[in-house]
Amino acid sequence: MRVPGIIVHGIALSTCLSLGACSPPPAPQRDEPPVPQASAAVQALHAPLDRARAVEGQVQASREAQDQQIAADTQ
């Protein structure tokens, strides 16, 4: 059985049109550096550690004062 020429041309034309509709994404701007995507997640992970480091000196001072108070009470 022979396929009519108009069907073959129609299939070829629709294939060309659908492939022609695909275009590559636009090129990124070279003037601006890329925006970090994970900065909020990194900050959320490091926030508790930063708070702990900030109060570490106070905790050590309280511990030393408590040790001195215990030593004074037991003598």
Side-chain angles (χ1 to χ4, degrees):
M1 176 173 194
R2 187 169 173 199
V3 180
I6 193 153
I7 294 176
V8 172
H9 290 321
I11 292 172
L13 180 63
S14 65
T15 302
C16 288
L17 288 176
S18 59
L19 289 176
C22 298
S23 62
Q29 297 292 333
R30 298 284 182 190
D31 296 339
E32 300 175 9
V35 177
Q37 299 293 320
S39 65
V42 170
Q43 289 175 354
L45 288 173
H46 288 288
L49 294 173
D50 293 338
R51 282 192 304 255
R53 288 185 188 115
V55 298
E56 185 176 4
Q58 295 173 353
V59 171
Q60 292 297 329
S62 295
R63 185 177 137 239
E64 290 172 7
Q66 184 180 20
D67 288 345
Q68 288 175 358
Q69 183 66 37
I70 291 171
D73 289 343
T74 57
Q75 289 179 357

